[in-house]
Every structure is written in C-alpha cells, then in structure tokens.
Amino acid sequence: MKKNERIDTRLIHTGSNPNKQNGAVNTPVYRASTVIFPTTENLAEALKFKYDKTFYGVHGTPSSFALEEAMAEIEGGYRAISVSSGLAAITTALITFLNTGDHLLMVDSVYGPTRNFCDTVLKKFGVETTYYDPMAGSQIKNLIKSETKVIFTESPGSYTFEVQDIPQITKIAKEFGIKVMMDNTWSAGFYYKPFNFGIDISIQATTKYQAGHSDVILGHIISKSEEDWLKLKTMTSNLGQAVAPDACYLALRGLRTLSVRLEQHQESALTVAEWLKNRPEVIQLLHPAFESCPGHDIWKRDFSGSSGLFSFIIQYVQPEKVRNMLNNFQYFKMGFSWGGFESLILQSDPAKNRSAVKWENSGLLFRVHIGQEDVQDLISDLKIGFDRLSGK
Ligand SMILES: *Cc1c(COP(=O)(O)O)cnc(C)c1O
C-alpha cells in the first residue's frame, strides 16, 4: 500500500489504470486465448516475461492482472495469483510446497473440502497429514517432524470460529524452516493482515466477500516473497489453471465496495449476535468478537474487525422442530458459500469433521451469514424461527 493512503482509498484505485484503457475507469474484460506478436523479436521478448505480460490466455490477461494487483495490495503481499476457485487456491498452494514423503500439519477446524483433499489426493501421493488443535499455539512444536514442510492455518475456522495464535505458530515454524499458509477468507484480507504475523502464503476464496454478489467463483493465492510467488505461479501454470476474465472483472468491481459492504456485514452481525446471546435457546455464541468464542482474546489482539459469518449453538431439540424452523425462514436461506448480500443459515455437525480434538458439544450448531437486509427484519425472522422450535 502506498504509505500516505488508507485502505479505503486504495480499494477505489488499486488495479485501475485508465490511461492504459482509453480513459475507461474499469479495466475491461479481456477475452483472449491467442495473443499475437508482430515480430519474432517481440515474441522472444514476451516468452521471457510470460508470467508478467499478456502472452497466452492461460497465464493471465490484463483483467486477471488488474485483480491480482488489487488482491496483493489489500493483503499486503508481494503478488497474487488468480485461480479458478477458493478451493483451487488451497490445493494449488499445498501441492506447490509438498512432495511425496513430506508431512503436513493441518488445523482440525479447517474448511471441509480442504480436509477432503488431504485425506484423498495428498494421501494418494504419499503426503502424510496430521490434524492439530486449532488452539495449539506454540504447542504445535510437539507435532513437528523432520518431514514437516507446511503448517496450514485457517483463522477463524469457518464453522466453529476458533481464532488461532498465528504469531506463536509462525515463530516456531521459522525455527524449523516450515512454510505457514493461512486461509484468510473470513477477514477478506480487510480485517486481518496475515503477513504482519509471519504467514508466508495467504489464501482467499475471492468467491466470498471480494466478489460479494453470489455470482462468481474465484480464488487467490498471495505470497509474501517473490521466490514463493514464482514457485506458485509455475505450479499454477503447470496445472493449466486459468481464470475467466469475466469473473476477474466482476471480482474487481465487487472490491470497489468491499469496505462499505463489510462494515455493514460487521455491524449487523454484531447486532444479531448480541440478540442471540440473550436468547434462552442459545447455549454458546461462536463469534470471534464475543468472549464465548475460543480465541476471542487473540482476535482482539490481532484483528481490526469482524465479518458477517458466525455460528451459534442451541440446546438439543427434535430434528422435526429444527426442520420446521429451517424450512420456513423468510430471509435466512439454506445454501453453501457466503459473502454475498443475502443472509444464509446452515446446520452443521462439527463432530463429523474432527480428528485431533473431539467435538463434545451436545447442542446443535447453526452457521449464519448476516447479509445486507435490515437487521431488525433479520432478528424478527430468527425470533419467529425460534418460536417454531418450541412448537409455538
Ligand atoms: C468457500 C470457502 C473456500 C472455497 O472457496 P470456493 O471458491 O467456494 O472454492 C475456502 N475456504 C473457506 C474458508 C471458504 O469459506
């Protein structure tokens, strides 16, 4: 980020270069597979810089480069790489730095498809995964082996919201020469700056808050160093990972309003969470800004805000009552993903996805994404939903 500018200002101007676009404020959608070169000299020159200039559609277009510039700047990294989805960003980063025989430390609260990738694809290629307690902090040292090459973090966990002590983990990882990656999707790179806490590689499911309108699938890998960027870009290219310029255009357009949208998500989510906290049905609030969330103190220390995604746990009730609650919300719709303008709710059983630490809570967990509807309408929707739980 330019020293004299604040993030809200950069969000408006990053990745934008009207002088190069006939004065158009937005970098247009460059639909390109073939790029032609007027002379053999030009072609040879382009080959030398094939990751930096428009060379062939697979390696990037001005549409993807503009978005990458913005993503790297928001996270505070060296450079970003656009890939086809958030999950692709995770899997590409992992296989860039892991080889057969290596060992991976993976946080137990991780996004389900990441766990699935470790248990199937990485396993098949002879990479061993050990899951660790999200609250491990410096205790992670006890799990490190000579083969450990990567520690993967996700903070907070996107269903159970444990906030990890990243500085403790990265300090130990540095002693052992281990790369530390973080899935930083929850904060959108806006409320958490991973490279200030020792992270080497940050991952964004751009699908969520950056795109922000539930109509784009895209991911980014952002590195702190040039060396790591080149390794990641080479792997991305070897895999034939390419992104649609239309998706990049939409994500960059979404980014322009990231700050105002996030502030609203934050405020409404805090209001709904505060209301939930005082409800008799709710036994625990898993929102990083509340004391009942594991790692709340770490969130207070390291984050500058909170987004619209959190969970709450209610006392056990019969499944048919839960179905009646979920099937009849007016605004809280059931669906995967999040980060759009609309509110969402999902029931989830974390016990199914735990191996390091048992999930022993007997209550029922619901994850909500608080959208841009009027917050009083959302609270009233939840209140009427709770009435259906008690059979009223
Ligand atoms: C949604 C999500 C992803 C995956 O993003 P897609 O673009 O849907 O593949 C990864 N990590 C977290 C935390 C997510 O919420």
Side-chain angles (χ1 to χ4, degrees), residues 7 37 82 147 168 204 222 226 235 256 269 340 343 361 363:
I7 183 145
F37 306 98
S82 308
E147 296 83 10
Q168 297 258 19
Q204 281 293 336
I222 306 103
E226 181 175 2
M235 176 58 83
R256 303 300 177 205
S343 290
N361 202 308

Side-chain angles (χ1 to χ4, degrees), residues 93-385:
L94 286 172
I95 60 172
T96 301
F97 292 97
L98 289 166
N99 294 304
T100 300
D102 286 349
H103 176 238
L104 161 69
L105 283 171
M106 176 57 72
V107 65
D108 208 23
S109 48
V110 76
Y111 173 68
T114 306
R115 177 181 284 265
N116 176 61
F117 182 77
C118 298
D119 296 347
T120 57
V121 182
L122 289 184
K123 187 171 174 216
K124 168 176 139 169
F125 288 110
V127 174
E128 187 201 352
T129 302
T130 301
Y131 293 94
Y132 66 90
D133 182 348
M135 302 318 291
S138 60
Q139 298 295 313
I140 200 146
K141 193 170 185 167
N142 304 328
L143 300 172
I144 291 173
K145 311 191 212 186
S146 55
E147 296 83 10
T148 310
K149 293 290 152 53
V150 174
I151 299 174
F152 193 97
T153 66
E154 179 181 322
S155 181
S158 61
Y159 277 90
T160 43
F161 297 91
E162 297 89 341
V163 185
Q164 292 192 252
D165 199 331
I166 300 294
Q168 297 258 19
I169 292 173
T170 54
K171 184 162 167 266
I172 287 174
K174 294 257 163 345
E175 286 170 26
F176 290 85
I178 299 169
K179 290 265 175 249
V180 188
M181 302 179 181
M182 178 172 174
D183 184 334
N184 189 28
T185 303
W186 184 80
S187 84
F190 191 81
Y191 292 129
Y192 188 83
K193 301 294 175 189
F195 303 117
N196 293 346
F197 299 93
I199 292 288
D200 298 298
I201 290 153
S202 179
I203 286 152
Q204 281 293 336
T206 317
T207 305
K208 309 288 164 58
Y209 282 127
Q210 290 85 4
H213 294 73
S214 306
D215 53 3
V216 173
I217 296 276
L218 210 53
H220 282 86
I221 314 167
I222 306 103
S223 73
K224 184 178 189 166
S225 75
E226 181 175 2
E227 189 189 348
D228 285 349
W229 172 80
L230 189 59
K231 285 182 188 158
L232 288 158
K233 182 69 191 177
T234 305
M235 176 58 83
T236 309
S237 176
N238 284 344
L239 290 170
Q241 272 273 3
V243 287
D246 308 69
C248 294
Y249 181 91
L250 287 171
L252 193 52
R253 181 184 162 118
L255 265 181
R256 303 300 177 205
T257 55
L258 181 70
S259 141
V260 281
R261 285 186 289 109
L262 269 180
E263 293 290 322
Q264 187 60 55
H265 285 296
Q266 164 167 255
E267 194 186 314
S268 295
L270 290 170
T271 307
V272 173
E274 191 64 45
W275 178 82
L276 284 166
K277 192 177 128 185
N278 297 316
R279 288 291 305 195
E281 297 87 351
V282 175
I283 50 181
Q284 193 179 357
L285 198 54
L286 299 174
H287 184 310
F290 287 75
E291 253 173 37
S292 53
C293 188
H296 164 70
D297 288 343
I298 301 167
W299 173 81
K300 244 173 38 189
R301 185 190 68 193
D302 297 347
F303 284 68
S304 61
S306 54
S307 63
L309 190 79
F310 69 93
S311 290
F312 59 92
I313 301 175
I314 62 165
Q315 268 152 7
Y316 180 84
V317 285
Q318 299 293 324
E320 62 267 26
K321 290 195 168 159
V322 173
R323 277 198 295 273
N324 188 25
M325 174 179 80
L326 291 174
N327 291 349
N328 293 293
F329 278 122
Q330 190 175 356
Y331 303 116
F332 284 93
K333 299 298 176 192
M334 287 178 282
F336 293 95
S337 204
W338 47 275
F341 42 76
E342 79 288 13
S343 290
L344 297 167
I345 189 163
L346 271 184
Q347 187 180 5
S348 171
D349 178 9
K352 288 187 188 147
N353 269 322
R354 291 295 162 128
S355 52
V357 199
K358 256 201 172 139
W359 181 264
E360 304 207 272
N361 202 308
S362 63
L364 306 176
L365 182 146
F366 296 88
R367 185 183 77 171
V368 283
H369 178 250
I370 303 301
Q372 308 278 331
E373 299 93 342
D374 184 290
V375 70
Q376 291 312 322
D377 287 338
L378 295 178
I379 288 175
S380 142
D381 203 23
L382 286 171
K383 183 177 177 300
I384 298 166

